[in-house]
Amino acid sequence: MALIPKNHPRAKSLLIRERLVDGFENGVVAKEGLLAHGRGEAFDYLLGEKTTKAAKKAIKAAASALILAKNPIISVNGNIAALCPKEIVQLAKTLDAKIEVNLFYENRERKKNIVKILKKNGAKNVLGLKPKFYKRIPGLDSARRIVDKNGIYAADVVLVPLEDGDRAISLKKLGKKVITFDLNPLSRTAQTAHITIIDNVIRGMGELILACKKLSGKNDATLRKIVRHYSNKRNLSANILEIKRNLTRRATHG
Ligand code: PTJ
């Protein structure tokens, strides 16, 4: 790992980058994943590198939907596996959710490496590696169309962090509730998902686990009300306005 001085003003962000670089070198992250992270970083900067009030609202709605789910699943790609392996497993345990590896840049070796890192962090069972269970998502041409028939295919609520865009709409057409993390409120996925958490997964995954723990004692009617009152369109607008406010402040006060 590169030596990042602790007192470097951007140390935190640089250390996160190193996780991606390590993930790439260890065959977990696609090289395109490094570019995707850069795009995320830029939006994080504009959002003030904090979990916004709107993101907290989306996290609450996401936690409610995940608790209400009969068959929730977390879809894992290279980036999220490199950034939050422990949190993925913790969240799955909290919700009794399944985990499935599903990649945009299909690569069996990378899939195996991701399963390995998840198991090292405590996952018991990770789907996505067994061709005999493969099933195709209709209307989707990318490699992500191949899913496990007992996993994403059967799920009612799917968490797809750092999604690439085309799959969210296909999953919605299959009648699933789609929840995503995406720092870019303008992305296709952010605009398509039922619930978009505009936050860095580095901060947001921990917040989501906490929210799931906190809300798990609530009755279904209360949770349904939280989901019903949530509007993704309003939430995305609030995040875009937050960016506008940050830019205006910087433009006026430097
Ligand atoms: O491992 P694979 O093969 O499945 O590939 C994964 C990537 C991420 C490369 C692939 O899904 C891809 O190309 O994604 P996109 O289209 O670049 O979209 C990723 C989205 O995640 C972008 O809108 C980024 O802004 C956002 N993003 C990047 N890093 C973070 C993030 N959102 C939240 N937290 C981050 N740390």
Side-chain angles (χ1 to χ4, degrees):
M1 199 200 251
L3 187 66
I4 313 280
K6 275 202 184 98
N7 61 353
H8 189 287
R10 301 288 307 155
K12 213 166 154 191
S13 166
L14 294 177
L15 284 168
I16 296 169
R17 260 189 203 174
E18 287 309 306
R19 282 203 223 172
L20 263 299
V21 172
D22 283 352
F24 172 66
E25 282 169 357
N26 296 330
V28 167
V29 174
K31 59 179 176 306
E32 294 82 355
L34 302 175
L35 302 172
H37 185 73
R39 181 167 358 156
E41 276 183 339
F43 278 97
D44 208 9
Y45 230 109
L46 298 175
L47 285 157
E49 294 179 304
K50 60 179 190 313
T51 303
T52 63
K53 230 161 102 180
K56 283 184 185 152
K57 239 186 213 172
I59 286 170
K60 194 170 172 190
S64 303
L66 283 162
I67 297 166
L68 283 168
K70 293 204 163 38
N71 201 357
I73 192 152
I74 306 168
S75 177
V76 176
N77 65 16
N79 284 47
I80 187 82
L83 291 174
C84 309
K86 207 168 70 202
E87 289 81 359
I88 295 164
V89 178
Q90 267 177 12
L91 183 64
K93 284 190 176 156
T94 306
L95 293 163
D96 198 15
K98 290 178 185 151
I99 302 175
E100 178 169 342
V101 179
N102 182 269
L103 303 182
F104 184 75
Y105 299 101
E106 167 66 3
N107 178 326
R108 191 159 173 84
E109 270 318 295
R110 197 152 64 82
K111 265 191 174 178
K112 283 191 196 160
N113 293 336
I114 294 172
V115 171
K116 217 184 279 169
I117 189 177
L118 292 171
K119 290 208 165 155
K120 209 169 129 193
N121 280 277
K124 293 272 170 298
N125 190 23
V126 181
L127 306 176
L129 268 185
K130 295 198 176 128
K132 67 175 174 183
F133 295 127
Y134 284 171
K135 190 119 180 137
R136 205 187 160 132
I137 299 179
L140 187 60
D141 291 328
S142 74
R144 298 189 94 172
R145 70 190 182 281
I146 306 296
V147 295
D148 190 300
K149 69 172 184 180
N150 301 311
I152 291 172
Y153 201 82
D156 54 348
V157 180
V158 191
L159 174 63
V160 285
L162 282 70
E163 169 79 11
D164 55 81
D166 56 346
R167 192 171 54 143
I169 198 143
S170 303
L171 291 174
K172 258 177 107 174
K173 279 188 190 153
L174 281 179
K176 301 179 191 308
K177 198 173 240 330
V178 179
I179 301 171
T180 192
F181 274 97
D182 195 330
L183 277 160
N184 177 4
L186 307 172
S187 82
R188 262 186 322 152
T189 308
Q191 303 274 336
T192 306
H194 291 100
I195 301 174
T196 304
I197 303 166
I198 303 291
D199 198 11
N200 197 325
V201 286
I202 287 282
R203 294 185 297 269
M205 278 293 277
E207 292 287 332
L208 181 59
I209 295 166
L210 280 179
C212 288
K213 287 185 176 156
K214 208 165 132 195
L215 291 169
S216 63
K218 302 278 180 203
N219 61 38
D220 284 9
T222 306
L223 297 172
R224 273 198 212 102
K225 198 167 156 197
I226 295 171
V227 176
R228 211 173 40 244
H229 286 186
Y230 174 81
S231 155
N232 209 43
K233 207 160 181 261
R234 266 204 313 266
N235 199 277
L236 292 175
S237 297
N239 278 294
I240 294 167
L241 288 171
E242 178 76 21
I243 290 176
K244 187 179 164 206
R245 267 194 302 275
N246 286 340
L247 286 173
T248 307
R249 201 169 39 242
R250 292 298 288 263
T252 342
H253 305 295

